[in-house]
Amino acid sequence: MTKYESICLEIRKRIIERKYPIDQPIPDEISLAKEFNCSRMTMKRALDILVSEGLLYRKRGHGTFIVQSAIQNNKVNVVTNEAMGLTNLLKDKNVKSKIIKFEVQFPSEDICAHLAIDSKTPVYYIIRLRIVDGEPYVLEKTYMPVTIIPGINDEILNGSIYDYIMNKLVLTIAGSHRIIRACKPDDLDYEHLACELNDPILEVEHIGFLNNGIPFEYSFSRHRYDKFEVTTINMNR
Amino acid sequence: MTKYESICLEIRKRIIERKYPIDQPIPDEISLAKEFNCSRMTMKRALDILVSEGLLYRKRGHGTFIVQSAIQNNKVNVVTNEAMGLTNLLKDKNVKSKIIKFEVQFPSEDICAHLAIDSKTPVYYIIRLRIVDGEPYVLEKTYMPVTIIPGINDEILNGSIYDYIMNKLVLTIAGSHRIIRACKPDDLDYEHLACELNDPILEVEHIGFLNNGIPFEYSFSRHRYDKFEVTTINMNR
DNA sequence: CAGTGGTCTAGACCACCAG
DNA sequence: TGGTGGTCTAGACCACTGT
């Protein structure tokens, strides 16, 4: 935990707990730096993070202000790190996995293109049903190159693939690309997600990248329409 | 133009023009700082931007490397600006608007909370059907505070609200918050989007912010499931 | 061990804005 | 003019890596 991270945590806490008047600027950078016993640069870096999360905004010559709408709808935790996997995102819930399919195959042309590999690089083909508090939640179809993410087994699939990648393989997940769409359910959805005939499905197509820019995962997550929504924040530079 | 911006431009140019070997680390921060006659902190800041764009990645103890896939597929300009509005996003298409409703009202409690206003601040209530190349595309229900975005009229609604905000009111749109979900169609969708009975709808709930952190728009866009998908890019810090 | 990036400092000067 | 945030510096120490 770096100094700027812990300062950032504390300031975020204060804002959420209304320790600072919502219609006033928060204390200036120099005062805060003194209070936290750090340099102004470090203070600025901590505040930069909160600005990038949409919690604060600055006015040169005026001060730093709270974005009121950000804390009025309990939407504060929207800015979670997305690269965590379901097991970590819902860690206060009981998340289980049912392995529907777990195979190795040569990838199709489409898979090759998305994973930036050739057709002779084997990939895992995994279908998992994720169950949250006993209810079917999402059906995940995942392709991962065996060369990049080796050693997948049933035990890992029953827990968190992301934990395995980050902690056992010690790889860094740098980012992701998502395409979100609505579609009609197919037979697999009916079978595992307990859909009614006309329930829509929220499908998230996902490409995950490591910090060397190499894609390691191409997946389709099919969600029950009444159990999931995607939240995004876009701030211009 | 700040120093770190101009350095950033120059390094980006060198990478794209293959001035640095693609399979080698680029020069270390101290050498680059000397070359550009700046401090190491400033150099780091310039490189940080390129890392956040996915053009470079760093390995502690090793050096700074070029993300090969970033410059191999002309993907350099992926970081497009989303805050443009439909009229600009699809400017090579024929986008028309049909005004279904255009009223002024006092906002409900929910609208107040999302726009950070009180219940006596009037808002526009606008429903528009956007038609692309003659086909119904999206049904937009929009709330905007009259005080922040004054002077809306039919002419503006038939064109681009975003153009009006940016060019006539000269306000800067800083960011947005989106919630994306799948849902079943309602009567308004059947009537205007030419939905079949069981066609899902992709709904995007949207809050737009100005650069002072004030929300100026709260909207629900209901899309035909076969005509629209949302694309997002997420890069970790 | 030497070399890399990551963090942090104490202080400087500038740009912007209100009274 | 005073106070704010924005940029930049020169240097320090730390964490991590391969030799």
Side-chain angles (χ1 to χ4, degrees):
Chain A
M1 171 74 73
T2 60
K3 199 161 185 172
Y4 69 85
E5 281 174 322
S6 60
I7 294 172
C8 180
L9 276 176
E10 170 61 21
I11 304 269
R12 189 191 291 110
K13 182 158 166 274
R14 291 184 187 178
I15 294 170
I16 293 169
E17 292 176 352
R18 309 287 207 276
K19 295 285 169 60
Y20 293 127
I22 198 170
D23 50 353
Q24 298 271 323
I26 67 170
D28 65 272
E29 296 178 345
I30 295 173
S31 312
L32 285 171
K34 269 183 197 152
E35 183 200 334
F36 284 97
N37 195 27
C38 69
S39 71
R40 190 177 153 223
M41 286 293 282
T42 301
M43 196 65 233
K44 183 183 290 297
R45 186 163 182 184
L47 296 179
D48 276 344
I49 294 172
L50 298 175
V51 169
S52 79
E53 289 176 357
L55 211 59
L56 293 176
Y57 66 98
R58 292 186 172 107
K59 272 190 194 172
R60 194 183 241 185
H62 287 262
T64 303
F65 300 80
I66 297 171
V67 174
Q68 300 199 16
S69 59
I71 63 170
Q72 282 178 344
N73 307 310
N74 303 326
K75 285 192 178 154
V76 172
N77 283 323
V78 167
V79 195
T80 50
N81 188 339
E82 289 191 55
M84 296 174 62
L86 200 58
T87 317
N88 294 308
L89 276 178
L90 301 174
K91 61 171 174 286
D92 51 335
K93 308 255 183 172
N94 178 9
V95 178
K96 287 189 177 161
S97 296
K98 180 178 170 190
I99 302 170
I100 313 261
K101 196 186 276 275
F102 178 28
E103 300 175 349
V104 178
Q105 58 183 223
F106 287 125
S108 69
E109 199 174 322
D110 183 57
I111 309 294
C112 288
H114 284 92
L115 289 175
I117 55 178
D118 66 49
S119 64
K120 294 300 172 245
T121 304
V123 296
Y124 294 116
Y125 175 41
I126 301 158
I127 301 181
R128 288 195 299 176
L129 175 68
R130 315 302 298 274
I131 300 160
V132 177
D133 289 343
E135 304 225 333
Y137 187 80
V138 57
L139 199 56
E140 296 176 347
K141 185 164 68 173
T142 305
Y143 302 87
M144 286 190 300
V146 177
T147 46
I148 297 173
I149 312 291
I152 297 289
N153 58 36
D154 282 21
E155 188 192 344
I156 294 165
L157 292 185
N158 279 313
S160 165
I161 299 181
Y162 276 61
D163 272 353
Y164 175 72
I165 292 173
M166 291 189 290
N167 301 325
K168 293 292 188 302
L169 297 181
V170 198
L171 298 173
T172 302
I173 296 167
S176 59
H177 184 182
R178 283 181 171 78
I179 304 161
I180 304 148
R181 59 178 76 89
C183 35
K184 297 184 180 182
D186 61 23
D187 291 343
L188 212 58
D189 301 323
Y190 288 132
E191 184 180 344
H192 295 106
L193 286 176
C195 293
E196 298 295 318
L197 185 62
N198 300 325
D199 285 355
I201 293 288
L202 187 71
E203 181 180 84
V204 181
E205 182 177 343
H206 175 251
I207 301 149
F209 298 93
L210 299 177
N211 66 345
N212 53 10
I214 294 175
F216 70 96
E217 179 193 26
Y218 181 44
S219 69
F220 295 84
S221 296
R222 293 175 72 87
H223 296 267
R224 283 183 58 91
Y225 81 108
D226 55 354
K227 292 247 172 73
F228 189 73
E229 39 195 34
V230 179
T231 302
T232 72
I233 290 182
N234 168 54
M235 299 294 286
N236 302 335
R237 268 191 300 263
Chain B
M1 171 74 75
T2 60
K3 199 161 183 171
Y4 68 85
E5 282 175 320
S6 61
I7 294 172
C8 181
L9 276 177
E10 170 61 21
I11 305 271
R12 188 191 292 109
K13 184 158 165 271
R14 290 186 187 176
I15 293 168
I16 292 169
E17 293 178 352
R18 309 287 205 278
K19 294 284 171 62
Y20 293 127
I22 198 167
D23 50 353
Q24 299 269 324
I26 68 170
D28 66 274
E29 296 179 344
I30 295 173
S31 312
L32 285 171
K34 270 184 195 151
E35 183 200 335
F36 284 96
N37 195 28
C38 68
S39 72
R40 190 176 152 223
M41 286 292 282
T42 302
M43 197 64 233
K44 183 183 289 298
R45 186 161 183 186
L47 295 179
D48 276 343
I49 294 172
L50 298 175
V51 169
S52 79
E53 289 176 356
L55 212 58
L56 293 176
Y57 66 98
R58 297 198 240 248
K59 273 192 194 170
R60 204 175 187 143
H62 286 265
T64 302
F65 300 81
I66 297 170
V67 173
Q68 301 200 17
S69 60
I71 61 170
Q72 281 172 347
N73 309 315
N74 303 326
K75 280 186 184 163
V76 175
N77 285 320
V78 167
V79 193
T80 52
N81 187 341
E82 286 191 58
M84 296 174 61
L86 197 59
T87 317
N88 292 307
L89 278 177
L90 299 174
K91 62 173 173 284
D92 51 335
K93 307 255 184 174
N94 178 10
V95 178
K96 286 189 177 161
S97 296
K98 180 180 171 189
I99 302 171
I100 315 267
K101 195 185 276 276
F102 177 28
E103 301 175 349
V104 179
Q105 58 182 222
F106 287 126
S108 69
E109 199 175 321
D110 183 58
I111 308 295
C112 288
H114 284 90
L115 288 177
I117 55 178
D118 66 48
S119 65
K120 294 302 172 242
T121 304
V123 296
Y124 294 116
Y125 175 41
I126 301 158
I127 301 181
R128 287 196 298 177
L129 175 68
R130 315 301 299 275
I131 300 160
V132 178
D133 288 344
E135 304 227 332
Y137 186 79
V138 56
L139 198 55
E140 295 176 348
K141 184 164 68 174
T142 304
Y143 301 87
M144 287 191 300
V146 177
T147 47
I148 299 173
I149 313 291
I152 297 288
N153 57 37
D154 283 20
E155 187 194 343
I156 293 165
L157 292 184
N158 279 313
S160 166
I161 299 182
Y162 276 60
D163 272 354
Y164 175 70
I165 292 173
M166 292 189 288
N167 300 326
K168 292 294 187 303
L169 298 180
V170 198
L171 298 173
T172 303
I173 296 167
S176 60
H177 181 182
R178 283 183 173 78
I179 305 161
I180 304 147
R181 59 178 76 89
C183 34
K184 296 183 181 183
D186 61 22
D187 290 345
L188 212 57
D189 301 323
Y190 289 133
E191 185 181 343
H192 296 105
L193 285 176
C195 294
E196 298 295 320
L197 185 62
N198 300 324
D199 285 356
I201 294 287
L202 187 71
E203 181 180 85
V204 180
E205 183 177 343
H206 176 252
I207 300 151
F209 299 93
L210 300 177
N211 64 347
N212 54 7
I214 295 175
F216 69 96
E217 178 193 27
Y218 181 44
S219 68
F220 295 85
S221 296
R222 295 176 69 88
H223 295 268
R224 285 184 57 93
Y225 81 106
D226 55 354
K227 292 247 173 73
F228 189 73
E229 39 195 34
V230 179
T231 301
T232 73
I233 294 177
N234 168 55
M235 299 295 284
N236 301 335
R237 271 185 299 265

